[in-house]
Amino acid sequence: MSGHWGILVSDPWLQNQFTQVELRSLKSQFVSMRRESGRLAVGDLASKMSRLKVVGENLSEEERASYIQDLYQNISEEVDFELFLKIYLKLQSFASSRTGSNAKNSSAFLKAATTTLLHTISESEKASYVAHINNYLAGDEFLKKCLPIDSSTNDLFEIAKDGVLLCKLINVAVPRTIDERAINTKRLLNPWERNENHTLCLNSAKAIGCTVVNIGTQDLIEGRRHLVLGLISQIIKIQLLADLNLKKTPQLVELVSDSEGMEELMSLAPEKILLRWMNFHLKKSGYKRIVTNFSSDVRDAEAYAHLLNVLAPEYTNPSTLAVKNPYERAKLVLEHADKMGCERYITARDIVEGSPNLNLAFVAHIFQHRNGLSTQAKQSSLLENLLDDTQDSREERAFRLWINSLGNSTYINNVFEDVRNGWVLLETLDKVSPGIVNWKIANKPPIKLPFKKVENCNQVVKIGKQLKFSLVNIAGNDIVQGYKKLILAYLWQLMRYNILQLLKNLRFHSHGKEITDADILRWANGRVSSSGSQSRMDSFKDKSVSDGIFFLELLSSVQPRAVNWGLVTKGITDQEKMMNATYIISIARKLGCSIFLLPEDITEVNQKMILTLTASIMYWFLKHPLEERTVGSSDSESGSQLETTSNSTLDEDSASDSSAEENGSM
């Protein structure tokens, strides 16, 4: 808290729980309640708080009264504003745990209780994630000064404010995502350097599959608790579920039933595959029920008891299923998991309260440690199809992450399967070119009738032709049928169209004219040449750029302080080329470029990805006036946010759709 708002609350811990707007709103509610009766007692809050979000909507007055009575024996005690806030936080946490148990999509990771009034976090989840961080980052040389973190404090959010912890955690989840040479790790960082770390963090988080549409660098700098914890939870989820696919764990082919194909299993979200794996073993154990979520279906711990008995029968305790009390059974389940050697950050209380995030993490840890599947997977011709062309696989990944970064209502796990109903493509088209989709004739999922999917995909093809995509002999049914080459070709043209439109919209530079690939190439060579270098890129498939030097010089030309040339290799050997490529990607993301290519795309000179990288650097450069690009060049304390766009850069009529511009990413 800062300024006059700090006067309202003297407790530093409470100050950190609310934004200024939230505090003002709650203060108004509190004053109104007290004015109604002249005096506000603890016992009055059960009825008075019915008007507040989450607490009023998800708890009955009887439930609120009972909970408050358990917390405070003296219900006649007069309530001041700070006590009011404390009771509100506890009630909202209680309400969140209740609603989380019954939520329809309870397997979703960290659906934090958020309202327009107040954001709360789960202390159990915070403790779990802190334990995870303490475990996986314990040996980090830079972080050893602040680890282990005390989960009973808010130290996690303070430590995260410089961005280093979050960047390191991303590398734990997906190794080598961030070149650590690009992280600012001085003991004292100025505002510019902190902002760079957070920009690098957010763009890298997007590049591994996190949804960060509503998170900005300032949120991380201020240590906004619900947003920081939400991001951490997504990163940890990606780490825990990394092996839940057929390429990493081919033994999962055992889960394919006779009535379905391999493609159906491949299209499932990792959480759904984890549930299927769990039910696969539960069926063998004789357990009669089907587990459909990680909350209400596991609260009695019976499913866990059966699962662990199948996976580790040597540690079976007959008492586990014999006890009547779910809490006692949950404790025995955790003892069983400990004997298996499973890392787990969940308590018996978390199980019986049905915490979906922590239960998901618990089951994922069990899967990682002992999946119980055959070491010799079924011989299947379908399994051989997993060895797809590497280039196609990398492009699918890039397009999938790009689409998810746009903030569509549908999160996709497999491009080839998830776009076949046409809806995701229509959403993406609408993000890239707002208003272009005729939603009146679009069919929203779930879509059972095949011809409805064809109708959607026909509109997708029609719009593509309207945008002058090359779609010779492509019909909507080809997308419905899942023809990979056609889907990749369409998505490449859509991604390319997106970045070209973003560049065109910077009319101060383009004068409203169409931007071409040749313009981008000419700009890049001009920038490098103006910096005094002889390097040149003849085309986007020029093999000479595989050493990375050209792109490092390009980045240095747009932001002189971006590249530490002492860390650059000569790019002669394959290893040196790879080191330069990872450094290029991290430096570009650190500046503010949202890109989804891999280092291999640079070293192997993937023409499409090389174009998107160059265009993204160009877009960042043109979007930021000279004064913004030079701030911080001498460790200035007046650093400004990289994503800020100065109006002086654009014509007054050139503002493009804000969501499309912010998510114009490669």
Side-chain angles (χ1 to χ4, degrees):
M1 301 298 300
S2 62
H4 66 284
W5 291 108
I7 301 172
L8 297 177
V9 177
S10 59
D11 186 335
W13 181 84
L14 274 175
Q15 290 178 11
N16 199 40
Q17 310 306 305
F18 306 95
T19 66
Q20 296 179 3
V21 174
E22 292 163 353
L23 194 60
R24 179 166 52 185
S25 178
L26 282 168
K27 181 69 173 180
S28 176
Q29 296 270 15
F30 170 74
V31 171
S32 177
M33 291 177 191
R34 191 169 57 180
R35 187 184 298 124
E36 290 170 2
S37 55
R39 180 180 183 275
L40 190 63
V42 171
D44 299 328
L45 293 179
S47 60
K48 299 286 188 184
M49 284 187 168
S50 62
R51 66 188 71 173
L52 299 181
K53 291 280 188 179
V54 179
V55 167
E57 293 174 350
N58 298 300
L59 296 175
S60 67
E61 184 174 336
E62 291 75 18
E63 288 173 324
R64 291 193 296 272
S66 175
Y67 191 74
I68 291 172
Q69 179 72 60
D70 289 341
L71 291 173
Y72 301 95
Q73 300 302 314
N74 183 12
I75 61 172
S76 62
E77 178 185 351
E78 186 168 356
V79 179
D80 62 13
F81 185 46
E82 291 195 2
L83 180 57
F84 172 83
L85 294 177
K86 291 175 183 177
I87 294 175
Y88 186 85
L89 283 172
K90 290 178 180 178
L91 276 173
Q92 195 172 49
S93 179
F94 175 57
S96 299
S97 68
R98 294 288 303 278
T99 55
S101 302
N102 301 311
K104 286 185 178 179
N105 297 316
S106 55
S107 65
F109 207 79
L110 196 79
K111 295 210 170 182
T114 59
T115 73
T116 56
L117 178 64
L118 181 66
H119 302 285
T120 66
I121 64 169
S122 163
E123 290 297 324
S124 292
E125 289 182 9
K126 184 183 77 171
S128 174
Y129 304 148
V130 165
H132 185 98
I133 289 168
N134 286 340
N135 182 26
Y136 282 93
L137 290 173
D140 187 272
E141 190 64 25
F142 180 81
L143 294 173
K144 66 181 181 181
K145 62 180 174 54
C146 52
L147 294 180
I149 300 169
D150 184 351
S151 63
S152 67
T153 69
N154 282 320
D155 288 354
L156 170 64
F157 308 108
E158 290 299 317
I159 294 168
K161 284 183 178 180
D162 66 6
V164 178
L165 174 70
L166 295 173
C167 287
K168 300 269 190 178
L169 191 60
I170 287 172
N171 272 353
V172 169
V174 182
R176 298 185 299 112
T177 297
I178 296 175
D179 189 322
E180 295 200 2
R181 293 174 295 176
I183 304 173
N184 297 321
T185 54
K186 293 192 316 188
R187 290 303 174 186
L188 287 176
L189 300 179
N190 63 44
W192 178 268
E193 292 165 330
R194 284 197 300 273
N195 188 76
E196 283 186 328
N197 280 350
H198 290 306
T199 303
L200 172 60
C201 165
L202 290 176
N203 283 318
S204 299
K206 279 196 285 186
I208 65 171
C210 294
T211 301
V212 299
V213 174
N214 296 315
I215 306 176
T217 56
Q218 196 61 32
D219 295 314
L220 303 182
I221 290 169
E222 293 176 0
R224 298 292 299 278
R225 298 163 72 246
H226 66 289
L227 294 176
V228 172
L229 202 66
L231 179 59
I232 288 173
S233 71
Q234 289 188 74
I235 296 169
I236 292 176
K237 171 195 171 182
I238 287 168
Q239 176 190 345
L240 294 178
L241 301 182
D243 294 337
L244 279 152
N245 61 74
L246 286 162
K247 289 189 176 181
K248 289 283 188 71
T249 311
Q251 297 92 335
L252 285 168
V253 71
E254 279 198 69
L255 306 185
V256 179
S257 66
D258 295 334
S259 61
E260 66 179 1
M262 186 77 68
E263 291 81 4
E264 186 173 341
L265 182 65
M266 290 178 64
S267 68
L268 293 177
E271 300 97 314
K272 298 296 184 184
I273 296 178
L274 193 60
L275 281 170
R276 179 172 293 201
W277 167 80
M278 187 175 181
N279 284 308
F280 173 80
H281 287 305
L282 289 177
K283 185 177 180 180
K284 291 193 294 186
S285 76
Y287 189 66
K288 301 301 182 185
R289 290 184 288 165
I290 301 294
V291 176
T292 61
N293 57 61
F294 292 107
S295 54
S296 58
D297 286 0
V298 296
R299 291 175 70 178
D300 61 10
E302 284 189 21
Y304 286 153
H306 281 89
L307 176 65
L308 296 183
N309 285 348
V310 170
L311 295 176
E314 67 272 26
Y315 301 122
T316 296
N317 183 344
S319 301
T320 305
L321 289 169
V323 298
K324 301 298 183 184
N325 186 306
Y327 181 75
E328 294 301 321
R329 186 182 302 116
K331 289 201 294 185
L332 292 173
V333 162
L334 294 180
E335 289 177 8
H336 194 156
D338 285 340
K339 291 175 182 176
M340 290 170 59
C342 289
E343 291 287 351
R344 51 98 177 169
Y345 313 112
I346 192 171
T347 66
R349 179 64 59 194
D350 297 325
I351 293 176
V352 298
E353 289 183 352
S355 170
N357 300 334
L358 298 185
N359 278 295
L360 170 60
F362 179 50
V363 178
H365 275 296
I366 295 171
F367 176 86
Q368 284 185 338
H369 188 75
R370 190 179 299 195
N371 63 42
L373 299 173
S374 171
T375 53
Q376 292 187 342
K378 293 178 184 176
Q379 292 301 312
S380 169
S381 59
L382 288 173
L383 191 58
E384 294 174 4
N385 291 337
L386 292 174
L387 301 174
D388 283 338
D389 180 76
T390 304
Q391 190 85 345
D392 283 358
S393 180
R394 288 214 302 264
E395 288 188 4
E396 184 276 335
R397 172 192 174 277
F399 297 145
R400 168 168 40 88
L401 293 170
W402 170 65
I403 291 172
N404 285 334
S405 76
L406 298 176
N408 292 335
S409 65
T410 305
Y411 187 93
I412 63 173
N413 296 286
N414 183 302
V415 162
F416 302 127
E417 295 300 316
D418 294 345
V419 305
R420 288 171 61 177
N421 64 14
W423 183 261
V424 170
L425 292 175
L426 289 173
E427 281 195 306
T428 305
L429 283 163
D430 193 59
K431 292 283 187 182
V432 170
S433 184
I436 202 168
V437 176
N438 183 353
W439 291 109
K440 292 181 179 179
I441 61 172
N443 304 294
K444 188 174 182 178
I447 306 172
K448 295 183 179 179
L449 299 175
F451 78 89
K452 294 289 186 182
K453 299 178 183 179
V454 174
E455 286 179 352
N456 281 352
C457 292
N458 281 341
Q459 186 178 180
V460 167
V461 173
K462 180 181 178 181
I463 294 173
K465 291 178 178 177
Q466 183 181 332
L467 297 176
K468 297 183 172 56
F469 292 178
S470 176
L471 299 172
V472 180
N473 297 324
I474 295 180
N477 192 52
D478 295 322
I479 298 175
V480 176
Q481 294 300 317
Y483 292 130
K484 294 182 178 181
K485 295 292 184 183
L486 298 182
I487 290 171
L488 289 177
Y490 189 97
L491 288 174
W492 159 241
Q493 292 180 85
L494 183 55
M495 180 189 262
R496 177 178 171 275
Y497 174 83
N498 181 36
I499 190 64
L500 293 181
Q501 285 302 110
L502 290 170
L503 287 168
K504 177 186 174 183
N505 286 336
L506 298 178
R507 291 179 186 157
F508 181 84
H509 301 281
S510 70
H511 305 292
K513 292 186 285 189
E514 296 295 332
I515 299 291
T516 66
D517 296 3
D519 292 328
I520 297 170
L521 182 64
R522 190 180 307 111
W523 171 84
N525 282 321
R527 287 302 312 167
V528 172
S529 175
S530 68
S531 67
S533 172
Q534 301 299 313
S535 296
R536 180 176 178 79
M537 178 168 60
D538 291 332
S539 71
F540 294 114
K541 53 184 178 183
D542 184 346
K543 295 298 183 182
S544 71
V545 302
S546 66
D547 62 9
I549 301 300
F550 177 84
F551 286 107
L552 288 165
E553 290 181 333
L554 177 60
L555 288 165
S556 184
S557 74
V558 302
Q559 173 53 277
R561 64 186 291 273
V563 179
N564 181 344
W565 287 99
L567 302 176
V568 175
T569 74
K570 294 181 179 179
I572 297 174
T573 67
D574 289 346
Q575 182 181 5
E576 288 179 343
K577 290 180 179 180
M578 185 62 69
M579 289 178 68
N580 283 350
T582 57
Y583 191 49
I584 289 165
I585 292 172
S586 290
I587 290 299
R589 288 177 180 152
K590 184 177 177 180
L591 285 183
C593 299
S594 187
I595 49 178
F596 301 102
L597 74 166
L598 292 170
E600 291 84 354
D601 292 317
I602 297 176
T603 60
E604 296 172 15
V605 193
N606 179 331
Q607 181 180 356
K608 296 174 184 176
M609 296 300 119
I610 292 293
L611 169 59
T612 62
L613 172 62
T614 311
S616 294
I617 297 171
M618 179 180 179
Y619 178 67
W620 179 86
F621 175 80
L622 298 182
K623 191 179 175 183
H624 294 80
L626 178 62
E627 58 269 24
E628 285 188 27
R629 287 184 266 114
T630 54
V631 167
S633 58
S634 59
D635 288 343
S636 168
E637 287 295 322
S638 58
S640 62
Q641 291 191 33
L642 287 175
E643 61 265 45
T644 302
T645 305
S646 169
N647 291 333
S648 65
T649 313
L650 311 177
D651 289 343
E652 291 182 2
D653 64 343
S654 68
S656 61
D657 175 77
S658 60
S659 63
E661 181 168 328
E662 288 173 9
N663 293 298
S665 40
M666 290 288 102

